Amino acid sequence: MTIIEKIEKDTRPVEDIPGVAFVNGKFVPVSEATVSVFDFGFTRSDVTYDVAHVWQGSFFRLEAHLDRFFASMDALRYKIPYSRDEVRAILMECVKRSGYRDAYVAMICTRGRPPVGSRDMRLCQNRFIAYSIPFVWLASPEKRENGLHVIIGSTFRIPPGSVDPKVKNFHHLDSVRSIWEAYDKNADTVFLLDYDGNLTEGPGFNVFAVIGNKVVTPDAGVLEGVTRRTVLELAQEQGLEAEVRKISADELREADEIFITSTGGGVMPVTRLDGRIYGNDRLGAVTQRLRDGYWARHGKGSDATPVDYN
C-alpha cells in the first residue's frame, strides 16, 4: 500500500471542539472555523488577538479587552469592517449561540493574504475572527489550589524593541523553547528574563512577587494584562503597596510569595521556583486574599457586562 493509499484510508476522527465562531462574516461551529494557509497571520505570525471571559453569565471587564484589541490593531495598521460596538455585539452573539455561562471568548485579526504573486501587505484584506468556547483554565484544579512548580528559563524574552509585548501577539517561540526546558525539569511552566537578567512574564501570564507588604510586578517586556491591572487595583484596596518596577531573578527567588495572573484562571499561586519551596508548598495568605478579591469582583458594577441569552 502506498503512502497516498494509506492517507486516503485514514479514518481517524477530527477532534470536535465545542463552541461557536464568527468567521468570513458568518456564525459557524468552532470546528468549521478556518484560516487560509496563505494568510500572513499563519505564514508570518502577522496577527493580533485578545481574550476576554464570561463568568456566570457576564463578561468581566470587556471594555478593557476591547480597548486593548483596537489599540493593537491600530499599532499593526489593521482595519476591519466592524466598529467597536459591532465587535462587542459579535462577541455577545458568539456567547449567546454557544450558551456557555462560563466562556473563553477570543477576538482575532489577521493580516489576510495578498493577491496571488504579490507580497505587498498593503494589498491584504484584514480578517476578523471571534469565537466562544468553554472557559479555559491555565492550570489544573490541584495546581490552582496547591501551587505551580516553575523554573526560570535560560532562553531570553524577545526584546520589546523587536516585538512590542503590549500588542498581544503570537510570537511565542521564546516561550515554546522555554516551556520544553520546564518540562525537561519536571516543572509546570517557566518565567522568562530579559537580557539584563530582569523578570518579564511567562507563556500567557503575568508574574507577581509578594515582598513584605508590597505586591510587585515587572514594568517592561510584558503584556499589560487586564487581570494584572485588576490585581494592582485590589492590592491597593487591601492596604498593600503595589509597585510596577524591575525585578531581578535574585529578588524574585527571595520573595515571600509568588503568583501569576491570566484571563485563563485569574490569580494562581506558585509554590516552587527552581526547586525552592515557598509557603510550605501551599497557597500564601496574600495570594489567597487577592485571588478571593479577584473572583468577588465578577458580576458586580461596571466590571460586569451581562450576556442576553434570550
Side-chain angles (χ1 to χ4, degrees):
M1 183 180 294
T2 68
I3 183 61
I4 301 302
E5 290 171 331
K6 289 180 181 179
I7 291 171
E8 290 178 339
K9 288 191 174 183
D10 189 347
T11 58
R12 288 174 295 179
V14 176
E15 182 181 8
D16 187 13
I17 302 173
V20 171
F22 178 82
V23 61
N24 295 326
K26 297 180 180 179
F27 294 97
V28 298
V30 164
S31 58
E32 296 179 13
T34 60
V35 175
S36 168
V37 296
F38 300 106
D39 192 311
F40 280 2
F42 176 73
T43 62
R44 299 185 178 183
S45 197
D46 189 352
V47 57
T48 192
Y49 73 108
D50 217 289
V51 175
H53 73 274
V54 171
W55 191 252
Q56 297 180 353
S58 292
F59 275 95
F60 182 65
R61 306 198 81 163
L62 176 58
E63 297 310 310
H65 287 285
L66 288 170
D67 285 344
R68 190 170 62 185
F69 182 60
F70 276 84
S72 295
M73 286 196 294
D74 286 344
L76 295 174
R77 303 191 185 191
Y78 294 145
K79 293 188 181 299
I80 59 175
Y82 305 108
S83 68
R84 181 189 178 107
D85 288 343
E86 289 169 333
V87 168
R88 185 190 301 107
I90 290 168
L91 298 177
M92 287 282 185
E93 188 67 16
C94 284
V95 178
K96 175 183 177 181
R97 292 189 183 209
S98 70
Y100 298 129
R101 308 290 297 185
D102 303 325
Y104 178 99
V105 186
M107 57 198 100
I108 304 164
C109 185
T110 73
R111 183 69 62 189
R113 64 175 179 82
V116 176
S118 172
R119 293 189 175 186
D120 190 336
M121 293 185 295
R122 296 169 298 181
L123 302 179
C124 294
Q125 181 177 346
N126 306 153
R127 300 181 71 242
F128 174 72
I129 301 165
Y131 62 79
S132 168
I133 60 175
F135 187 83
V136 173
W137 293 94
L138 191 147
S140 68
E142 178 186 359
K143 292 295 182 179
R144 296 197 303 271
E145 188 58 36
N146 297 325
L148 292 150
H149 297 175
V150 184
I151 66 164
I152 295 177
S154 60
T155 298
F156 294 114
R157 184 77 172 96
I158 297 173
S162 298
V163 178
D164 184 357
K166 295 178 183 178
V167 176
K168 201 167 175 67
N169 61 75
F170 287 155
H171 291 271
H172 287 182
L173 286 182
D174 51 355
S175 295
V176 169
R177 184 177 179 184
S178 298
I179 290 172
W180 277 110
E181 183 180 356
Y183 292 161
D184 289 342
K185 295 180 179 179
N186 295 317
D188 299 306
T189 190
V190 64
F191 297 157
L192 281 73
L193 304 178
D194 64 19
Y195 281 91
D196 294 320
N198 294 311
L199 178 66
T200 61
E201 59 187 1
F205 57 80
N206 292 115
V207 185
F208 282 80
V210 179
I211 304 171
N213 195 46
K214 298 178 180 178
V215 176
V216 186
T217 195
D219 62 349
V222 303
L223 175 74
E224 294 181 347
V226 174
T227 310
R228 171 181 179 267
R229 183 197 308 180
T230 304
V231 167
L232 290 170
E233 294 169 358
L234 286 168
Q236 293 179 321
E237 291 170 8
Q238 295 181 5
L240 300 165
E241 294 183 45
E243 295 184 349
V244 181
R245 60 168 174 80
K246 296 188 186 308
I247 307 173
S248 69
D250 288 340
E251 185 179 19
L252 179 66
R253 292 187 179 100
E254 295 301 319
D256 299 310
E257 299 176 33
I258 302 170
F259 62 87
I260 66 173
T261 60
S262 172
T263 297
V267 178
M268 292 160 281
V270 172
T271 53
R272 296 191 187 191
L273 179 63
D274 289 338
R276 178 174 177 175
I277 297 175
Y278 294 78
N280 294 319
D281 228 6
R282 291 290 182 271
L283 173 70
V286 173
T287 303
Q288 182 166 1
R289 281 168 51 194
L290 292 168
R291 184 184 69 176
D292 293 346
Y294 171 76
W295 289 108
R297 281 186 67 161
H298 285 61
K300 295 182 178 179
S302 60
D303 285 341
T305 306
V307 177
D308 182 2
Y309 290 92
N310 297 318

